[in-house]
Amino acid sequence: MRTNDTYDHENPKRVYYLSMEFLIGRSLANNVVNLLLEPLVEKAVKAKSLEPLGLLEEEPDAGLGNGGLGRLAACFLDSMATLQLPAMGYGLRYEYGIFRQTIQDGWQCEQADNWLRRPDPWEIPGRTSKWRSGSTVPSS
């Protein structure tokens, strides 16, 4: 909230980064550290007799890019945050990520990567407005 107040007061130029891919990786461990929740999580893991690394492995990796461009987009956003630049990243919210591949009887078989099968507690919903391709966006 302080950040938005500062931006409103200072009115700086802002960066809006649009990418078709964001290869952000898993976010649970980063969010635990960034929110200073390590002592609380350690206590909860110990109370439930869980293996901390095993718990982290339970988080699925959203397949929202296949490497280069997705990783680059994530690095740009990370750098802008580190430099405290007023920036926002935007992307498409794909229903399915990159497909999962298996080889069966010598043939490649693809299955959709249903990365949204469980709710993501770190996802911040945006506007719910939708427009069909080719339609005009109403001015506000």
Side-chain angles (χ1 to χ4, degrees):
M1 290 178 62
R2 269 191 328 200
T3 299
N4 282 333
D5 290 344
T6 300
Y7 291 169
D8 288 344
H9 182 261
E10 299 293 327
N11 195 24
K13 290 184 179 182
R14 299 175 191 208
V15 176
Y16 296 96
Y17 189 90
L18 175 64
S19 179
M20 295 293 286
E21 299 180 10
F22 283 101
L23 193 58
I24 57 172
R26 298 174 181 180
S27 54
L28 178 59
N30 280 339
N31 287 320
V32 167
V33 170
N34 292 337
L35 294 170
L36 306 175
L37 295 175
E38 288 173 290
L40 182 65
V41 170
E42 287 174 10
K43 184 177 175 183
V45 165
K46 191 173 186 178
K48 295 287 185 180
S49 301
L50 298 172
E51 173 60 38
L53 292 178
L55 181 62
L56 292 176
E57 286 299 315
E58 291 295 317
E59 180 183 12
D61 193 358
L64 303 179
N66 61 0
L69 293 178
R71 191 64 228 139
L72 181 63
C75 287
F76 275 148
L77 291 177
D78 191 39
S79 295
M80 288 186 283
T82 300
L83 295 170
Q84 298 181 353
L85 297 176
M88 179 72 70
Y90 292 95
L92 298 178
R93 187 177 188 272
Y94 295 103
E95 185 174 352
Y96 296 102
I98 302 290
F99 65 87
R100 295 184 186 281
Q101 173 184 298
T102 59
I103 305 295
Q104 296 176 1
D105 298 323
W107 293 90
Q108 174 180 303
C109 300
E110 303 89 16
Q111 297 88 34
D113 177 14
N114 187 6
W115 74 282
L116 294 173
R117 66 186 170 278
R118 291 187 217 123
D120 183 354
W122 308 110
E123 188 174 49
I124 301 170
R127 295 183 180 168
T128 57
S129 301
K130 297 179 184 179
W131 292 277
R132 284 194 323 249
S133 179
S135 62
T136 58
V137 177
S139 60
S140 39

